[in-house]
């Protein structure tokens, strides 16, 4: 029986009178890769941010391995060490080298030994083929390289669970692949991941479970094959239609 | 590269400044600029219809501004009469002690009637007319720590002086070890004296006496009523402005016939001093009595 | 040009220059401290404190240093606080400079997108750590141009120190002119010494700006 890592119960978030998330329930087991899809503005990113307590919630509870995650609480920093988050805009620290970007939190937050951290950081960089960029600054890297460094930076903290917030949405197509490859590799390693994405082929390949969000609700939840080939709800069908095209007859 | 440019630009500025000033100066004998004179002649002033007179705006009761914003004082009373007799209007220019000479040298005023003491050094820079007042130096202090002599001075005490006055020159030359606290206006010097940052204020004895009398309730006392030489106060004009200077001398002589400066004293100074000092202070007709 | 006069009074100008620099530096250091504190208060929106800071900034930016010095040097003694002119000068610079520095730092802080802070927090950093390692370094380097401008501005403002009897460069020049009437020579030395002080500051400032730009912007 797999361990339950993350539990979300009755999560409700409102903002300026609008209900963004409405009574969500979700559990994530260790080693699961959950992919969240849905139209823009349906609350997927907000959901991730709530899990990481970057947003306040009005109702409901979130807990990681039994520890409650409460917005604004004093033990947040400690809990967040177990959650790794990667943002669409990479958010590397521009004033630090790639290596320092990765090493900063493990050293200052987890108080780990510098040499140990450095060794791991270089290993991780090597694994994604960017060891030679260790002393470069973020501005010298391409988007895809930056995002891969961001992933490695999160990994170096030894998180229990990884959150990916549309991490390839801002990248050129060639670079999208190199990032997705890293994520596939992580899935293969058995990492627990929640991925918000628009990349449907990728979702099909990597997910254990696909969750379809719409207007703050979980509308459908299924294994990837099921969801993509045989969507059950109208909304899901409409959504998936967006991604398929019929051949167009050109008027000659 | 940017820094090099900056450095060159500013060095150029310094060199140019030095060059221009070197060319334009003959500072040993005063102000004469090559080319057009800086001063206005008597006729030019009369034609313009207004004379620019430099006076103090904060040296009560010699040159100051009253509650209505009008200039008053022993110097101003004379200025008014001078302009009237010349047939022109007065434009009062407020000056500080240290810039009186500059104002004449740059033509900012035609005449200085800012209680200006005649000294040899000053006479090299400007032209003085005949005197209209006697003056010496004096020192005022507070009655709980009256200063009666400058000898054996306690180095922890300082004396307030105003920059550009004969008091400053005198102390700098004759008592160089006395620490001086320098201010650029009468207003600030008096404020500082009241706040007690120094033990004494050295200035014209007429002024310190007036100051002590006007603030009798505060316990100011003129511990040294006469210091240094006996000097006179006279109007000053830009060097070389003979037409104006000669006219002023004539005017003073004429006014002597009606005892003008005695009347001036009674109108502007009697309230402060009483009549005791009238004869010793006033110089009538441009001739000192001793 | 009377070079003997220049040689004789050069030491006076040196003393004045040292005074100007000494008071200027101390005043500026305090201004930086005041500015940092105010900027942090405003950035973290601390209640009550931030209103006080806002009033302080408006007050000090909209009154000339001369007026502030007058209050401190001539006014405070009436309330019983007799401070030396040097201390008053430093307080004046710190008071005026503090608000200018505060504004520069605050705008530097605000340029840092909130999500940058969130990414630091997501790594498990506390608010303090995020501020210390991520936000502040970036904010400081963004503030450098404004900061350098403030330093030069404050150094030049020291010329009003004459009003409270401090023998700074400006007063020295004025005083010598009043005593010896050597206007040209006195002003020449004045310009030279201001350049000696300000030019290195300006150059150092440029160097600092260039170095800080290496922090780079945009992820």
């Amino acid at each position: 029986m797999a361990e339950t890592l993350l539990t979300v119960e009755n999560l409700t978030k409102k903002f300026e009178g609008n209900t963004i998330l409405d009574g969500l329930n979700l559990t994530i087991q260790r080693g699961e890769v959950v992919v969240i899809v849905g139209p823009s503005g349906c609350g997927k990113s907000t959901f991730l941010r709530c899990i990481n307590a970057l947003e306040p919630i009005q109702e409901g509870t979130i807990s990681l391995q039994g520890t409650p995650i409460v917005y604004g609480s004093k033990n947040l920093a400690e809990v967040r060490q177990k959650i790794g988050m990667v943002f669409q805009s990479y958010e590397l620290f521009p004033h630090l080298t790639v290596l320092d970007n990765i090493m900063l939190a493990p050293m200052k937050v987890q108080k780990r030994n510098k040499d140990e951290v450095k060794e791991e950081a270089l290993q991780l960089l090597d694994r994604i083929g960017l060891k030679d960029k260790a002393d470069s600054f973020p501005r010298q890297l391409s988007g895809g390289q930056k995002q891969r460094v961001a992933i490695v930076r999160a990994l170096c903290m030894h998180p229990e669970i990884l959150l990916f917030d549309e991490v390839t949405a801002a990248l050129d197509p060639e670079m999208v692949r190199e990032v997705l490859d890293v994520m596939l590799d992580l899935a293969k390693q058995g990492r627990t991941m929640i991925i918000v994405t628009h990349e449907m082929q990728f979702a099909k390949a990597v997910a254990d479970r696909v969750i379809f969000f719409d207007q703050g609700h979980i509308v459908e939840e299924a294994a990837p094959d099921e969801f993509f080939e045989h969507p059950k709800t109208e909304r899901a069908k409409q959504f998936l239609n967006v991604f398929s095209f019929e051949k167009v007859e050109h008027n000659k | 590269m940017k820094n090099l440019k900056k450095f060159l630009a500013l060095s150029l500025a310094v060199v140019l400044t030095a060059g221009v000033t070197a060319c334009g100066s003959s500072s040993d004998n005063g102000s004469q600029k090559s080319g057009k004179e800086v001063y206005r002649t008597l006729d030019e002033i009369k034609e313009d219809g207004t004379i620019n007179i430099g006076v103090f705006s904060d040296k009560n009761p010699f040159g100051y501004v009253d509650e209505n914003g009008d200039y008053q004082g022993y110097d101003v009373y004379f200025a008014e009469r001078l302009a009237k007799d010349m047939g022109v209007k007065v434009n009062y220019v407020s000056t500080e002690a240290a810039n009186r000479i500059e104002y004449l040298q740059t033509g900012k005023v035609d005449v200085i009637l800012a209680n200006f003491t005649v000294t040899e050094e000053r006479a090299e820079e400007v032209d003085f007319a005949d005197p209209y007042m006697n003056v010496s130096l004096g020192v005022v202090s507070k009655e709980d720590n009256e200063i009666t002599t400058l000898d054996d001075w306690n180095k922890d005490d300082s004396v307030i002086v105003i920059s550009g006055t004969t008091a400053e020159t005198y102390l700098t030359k004759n008592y160089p070890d006395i620490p001086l606290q320098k201010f650029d206006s009468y207003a600030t010097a008096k404020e500082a004296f009241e706040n007690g940052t120094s033990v004494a204020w050295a200035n014209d004895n007429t002024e310190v006496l007036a100051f002590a009398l006007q603030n009798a309730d505060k316990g100011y006392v003129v511990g040294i009523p006469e210091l240094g030489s006996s000097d006179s106060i006279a109007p000053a004009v830009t060097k070389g402005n003979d037409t104006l200077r000669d006219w002023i001398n004539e005017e003073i002589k004429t006014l002597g016939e009606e005892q003008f400066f005695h009347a001036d004293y009674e109108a502007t100074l009697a309230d402060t001093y009483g009549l005791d000092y009238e004869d010793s202070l006033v110089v009538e007709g441009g001739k000192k009595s001793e | 040009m009377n070079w003997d006069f220049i040689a004789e009074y050069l030491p006076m100008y040196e003393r004045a220059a040292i005074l100007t620099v000494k008071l200027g530096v101390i005043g500026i250091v305090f201004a930086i401290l005041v500015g940092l504190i105010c900027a942090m208060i405003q950035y973290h929106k601390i209640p009550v404190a931030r209103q006080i800071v806002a009033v302080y900034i408006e007050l000090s930016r909209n009154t000339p240093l001369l007026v502030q010095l007058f209050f401190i040097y001539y006014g405070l003694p009436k309330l019983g606080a007799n401070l030396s002119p040097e201390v008053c000068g430093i307080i004046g610079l710190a008071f005026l400079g503090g608000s200018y520095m505060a504004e520069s730092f605050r705008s530097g802080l605000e340029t840092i997108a909130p999500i940058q802070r969130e990414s630091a927090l997501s790594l498990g950093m506390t608010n303090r750590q995020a501020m210390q390692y991520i936000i502040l370094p970036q904010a400081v380097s963004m503030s450098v141009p404004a900061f350098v401008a403030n330093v030069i501005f404050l150094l030049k403002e020291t010329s009003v120190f004459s009003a409270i009897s401090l023998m700074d460069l400006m007063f020295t020049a004025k005083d010598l002119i009043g005593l010896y009437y050597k206007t040209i020579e006195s002003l020449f030395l004045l310009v030279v010494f201001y350049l000696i002080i300000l030019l290195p500051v300006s150059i150092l400032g440029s160097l600092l700006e260039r170095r800080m730009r290496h922090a780079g912007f945009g992820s």
Side-chain angles (χ1 to χ4, degrees), chain A residues 49 52 54 77 80-81 83 85 87 89-95 104-105 108-109 111 139 146 153-154 157, chain C residues 113 115-126 129 133-135 137-138 213-219:
Chain A
R49 289 169 60 84
N52 208 6
L54 292 174
R80 280 190 178 132
Q81 288 178 42
I83 306 175
M85 187 157 180
F87 299 85
S89 47
Y90 339 120
E91 292 311 315
L92 294 180
F93 306 131
H95 60 296
L104 180 68
K108 299 291 179 188
V109 175
K111 313 259 193 278
R139 68 176 184 282
K146 279 190 274 207
R153 180 177 68 172
M157 288 293 286
Chain C
I115 195 172
Q116 176 80 181
R117 184 163 170 266
E118 285 174 352
S119 92
L121 295 175
S122 299
L123 286 168
M125 287 192 225
T126 60
Q129 285 171 325
Y133 297 115
I134 306 302
I135 309 294
Q138 289 185 61
R213 239 178 277 143
H214 284 305
F217 306 116
S219 321

Side-chain angles (χ1 to χ4, degrees), chain B residues 3 6 10 14 18 21 25 27-28 96 98 101-102 122 125 163 168-169 181-183 188 191 194-195, chain C residues 1-2 70 73-74 77-78 82 85 165 171 174-175 177-179 181 184-185 188 195 199 202-203 206:
Chain B
N3 283 332
K6 239 188 237 197
L10 288 161
V14 173
T21 56
S25 83
S27 37
D28 288 336
E96 290 175 354
I101 294 205
E102 246 181 283
R122 288 174 179 177
E125 306 293 322
S163 175
E168 184 194 18
T169 313
Q181 237 206 342
K182 302 190 182 189
F183 292 87
T188 49
E191 270 297 320
E194 200 168 299
N195 288 339
Chain C
M1 190 86 104
N2 185 334
F70 261 57
Y73 186 68
Y74 297 106
K78 313 281 189 228
N82 240 315
S165 84
F171 202 6
K174 263 181 86 173
D175 194 45
I177 292 174
L179 279 170
Y181 321 116
I184 305 298
E185 291 82 352
F188 172 71
L195 283 179
L199 191 48
S202 185
I203 293 180
S206 298

Side-chain angles (χ1 to χ4, degrees), chain A residues 137-185:
Chain A
F137 282 92
R139 68 176 184 282
Q140 296 164 304
L141 268 49
S142 71
Q145 291 170 325
K146 279 190 274 207
Q147 198 59 295
R148 287 183 283 148
V149 169
I151 296 175
V152 156
R153 180 177 68 172
L155 283 175
C156 208
M157 288 293 286
H158 304 161
E160 300 285 351
I161 184 171
L162 287 162
L163 308 177
F164 295 86
D165 189 0
E166 306 217 30
V167 301
T168 55
L171 295 172
D172 290 335
E174 319 90 67
M175 293 192 253
V176 167
R177 186 57 195 244
E178 65 195 32
V179 174
L180 294 181
D181 279 338
V182 172
M183 293 164 75
L184 287 168
D185 189 37

Side-chain angles (χ1 to χ4, degrees), chain A residues 29-144:
Chain A
Q29 315 292 343
R30 183 182 288 283
E32 259 202 285
V33 175
V34 172
V35 173
I36 302 180
V37 300
S40 296
C42 65
K44 341 187 269 295
S45 283
T46 311
F47 179 60
L48 276 191
R49 289 169 60 84
C50 287
I51 292 177
N52 208 6
L54 292 174
E55 301 277 349
I57 58 177
Q58 277 64 43
E59 265 177 67
T61 59
I62 309 170
S63 53
L64 181 72
Q65 291 178 306
T67 314
I69 299 176
V70 179
Y71 180 81
S73 74
K74 290 202 177 66
N75 72 333
L76 257 185
E78 210 182 316
V79 164
R80 280 190 178 132
Q81 288 178 42
K82 305 211 189 113
I83 306 175
M85 187 157 180
V86 186
F87 299 85
Q88 181 175 326
S89 47
Y90 339 120
E91 292 311 315
L92 294 180
F93 306 131
H95 60 296
L96 301 174
T97 60
V98 162
L99 195 59
D100 285 333
N101 256 278
I102 301 170
M103 287 174 63
L104 180 68
M107 280 171 52
K108 299 291 179 188
V109 175
Q110 293 175 331
K111 313 259 193 278
R112 282 153 55 184
N113 170 269
K114 178 172 177 180
D115 295 319
E116 176 254 312
V117 174
K118 187 165 176 180
E119 201 187 319
E120 181 178 351
L122 288 171
Q123 257 174 24
L124 287 168
L125 279 175
D126 192 32
R127 218 185 146 113
I128 58 171
L130 290 175
K131 189 165 174 192
D132 58 337
K133 298 284 186 195
D135 293 320
S136 303
F137 282 92
R139 68 176 184 282
Q140 296 164 304
L141 268 49
S142 71

Side-chain angles (χ1 to χ4, degrees), chain B residues 97-212:
Chain B
N99 63 27
R100 287 175 292 190
I101 294 205
E102 246 181 283
Y103 271 34
L104 285 177
Q105 287 179 333
T106 51
K108 287 189 169 48
V109 296
D110 300 304
V111 121
I112 284 283
L113 281 178
N115 228 236
F116 207 15
T117 309
V118 181
T119 69
E120 249 181 65
E121 294 89 10
R122 288 174 179 177
E124 285 176 18
E125 306 293 322
V126 298
D127 285 342
F128 283 102
D130 291 333
Y132 60 93
M133 194 176 131
N134 285 321
V135 75
S136 167
L137 294 176
V139 178
V140 60
S141 44
K142 300 203 173 148
E143 63 188 1
D144 55 3
N145 184 9
E146 186 176 341
I147 304 290
T148 51
T149 174
L150 294 178
D151 300 318
D152 298 322
W153 189 263
N154 176 2
K155 293 280 172 57
D156 294 326
D157 291 333
S158 60
V159 174
I160 293 175
V161 291
I162 295 177
S163 175
T165 56
T166 46
E168 184 194 18
T169 313
Y170 181 82
L171 287 176
T172 308
K173 219 191 289 185
N174 298 302
Y175 293 91
D177 291 331
I178 297 184
L180 298 176
Q181 237 206 342
K182 302 190 182 189
F183 292 87
D184 53 14
S185 69
Y186 278 88
T188 49
K190 291 180 194 177
E191 270 297 320
F193 177 77
E194 200 168 299
N195 288 339
T197 56
S198 299
V199 300
W201 175 32
N203 199 257
D204 297 343
N205 59 357
T206 43
E207 177 58 24
V208 297
L209 185 58
F211 182 59

